[in-house]
Amino acid sequence: MTNPRELLARLNPTTIRYDVGRGGVGALSNQDIAAALAFVPAGLGREVLEACWWPDGAARRSHKLRDAVYMHVQPEIARQAKELSEARIHRGMLHACAGWANNPGAGLLRELAAAEAKVEAIKARCWPVSAFEMLPAMSKAVIDELAHPNQCPDCKGRGQLRAGELVVTCPTCGGRGTLAISDRKRAAAIGRDKATYRVVWRPMYEWMIREFGDAEQEAARHLSAALRDAA
Ligand SMILES: [Zn+2]
């Protein structure tokens, strides 16, 4: 099966056409490909899939991508706020307990220290309050990265290597075929310096690239199935 992403890319007028006249999926017309897209469930995955591989089409419906991103991100921001608030309440309760007794005891003080550490750890994981403002730049950077992955130089993106008679998982990329892009490049892509990126934006970027990537893969599977039916 031809990669459904390559078929989708054929819809861009700037793309050179290929695969014509070989039968099977190669015989699919652009209308067939566009029609198959209708079978991909609406949502983040479909919007990211289009933004990555059919940017000409996606540009006409960028508000749909925006809505899908906000819908996807909102529960995560709410989850983080809840987690942090609960940890702070727990810490506050322990503070109050410690203040209640004249001698709080080693056990309670240990619990209090652990609660303090937990609040700090959650704060470090949480996205900054300006996360919503960063969403457009962050979404664009993540989509660019998904559309232009950093191909593993050792296996050339195949994820596997030949070792004599055996085919083994590529140790450099762990079988993914791609390598993570450096913090420096990700920072530049969202217009921040590397130090700020690492402290403030990295958890959000890494969450988004994981979520967008998974959603895109799922959508590509749906498109692939629809194209198989159409061929
Ligand atoms: Zn590799």
Side-chain angles (χ1 to χ4, degrees):
M1 173 77 198
T2 306
N3 186 337
R5 298 172 177 96
E6 287 172 7
L7 289 171
L8 195 53
R10 216 161 77 178
L11 300 180
N12 297 306
T14 43
T15 308
I16 298 162
R17 300 192 58 179
Y18 63 100
D19 252 353
V20 176
R22 284 210 325 234
V25 288
L28 287 169
S29 70
N30 285 5
Q31 278 93 332
D32 292 333
I33 299 164
L37 255 186
F39 290 96
V40 178
L44 182 69
R46 179 167 148 186
E47 298 308 324
V48 173
L49 183 75
E50 285 198 37
C52 285
W53 314 108
W54 185 27
D56 294 332
R60 285 195 295 271
R61 35 188 281 138
S62 77
H63 64 286
K64 292 225 176 197
L65 173 66
R66 179 201 64 199
D67 292 349
V69 169
Y70 278 84
M71 287 287 287
H72 199 77
V73 156
Q74 230 167 23
E76 174 59 17
I77 290 182
R79 187 198 65 74
Q80 290 178 10
K82 182 166 178 280
E83 190 186 22
L84 184 57
S85 137
E86 283 174 359
R88 281 178 168 151
I89 290 170
H90 182 61
R91 180 186 61 183
M93 292 286 289
L94 290 173
H95 253 301
C97 287
W100 202 296
N102 285 333
N103 181 8
L108 184 53
L109 290 176
R110 253 197 319 275
E111 254 190 276
L112 187 54
E116 295 274 10
K118 190 172 175 191
V119 168
E120 291 309 313
I122 293 171
K123 265 164 65 181
R125 282 202 299 275
C126 278
W127 303 351
V129 279
S130 48
F132 277 115
E133 289 149 45
M134 190 56 128
L135 275 176
M138 189 82 85
S139 300
K140 185 181 178 305
V142 164
I143 285 167
D144 279 349
E145 186 174 330
L146 289 171
H148 306 100
N150 188 17
Q151 198 184 65
C152 172
D154 288 353
C155 64
K156 305 279 182 287
R158 285 189 298 273
Q160 293 178 326
L161 291 174
R162 202 166 264 291
E165 294 290 292
L166 292 170
V167 174
V168 295
T169 301
C170 171
T172 312
C173 64
R176 284 182 305 278
T178 54
L179 297 177
I181 283 177
S182 71
D183 285 351
R184 186 183 55 77
K185 281 190 182 160
R186 285 178 171 176
I190 60 164
R192 294 292 181 274
D193 61 62
K194 192 170 87 176
T196 310
Y197 169 80
R198 284 194 165 156
V199 176
V200 181
W201 298 106
R202 185 156 68 181
M204 182 175 170
Y205 194 101
E206 290 181 347
W207 184 89
M208 281 183 67
I209 194 123
R210 212 170 40 241
E211 293 286 318
F212 277 40
D214 288 351
E216 189 268 351
Q217 261 195 342
E218 181 66 21
R221 268 196 294 275
H222 281 286
L223 180 61
S224 201
L227 286 166
R228 233 181 352 254
D229 293 342

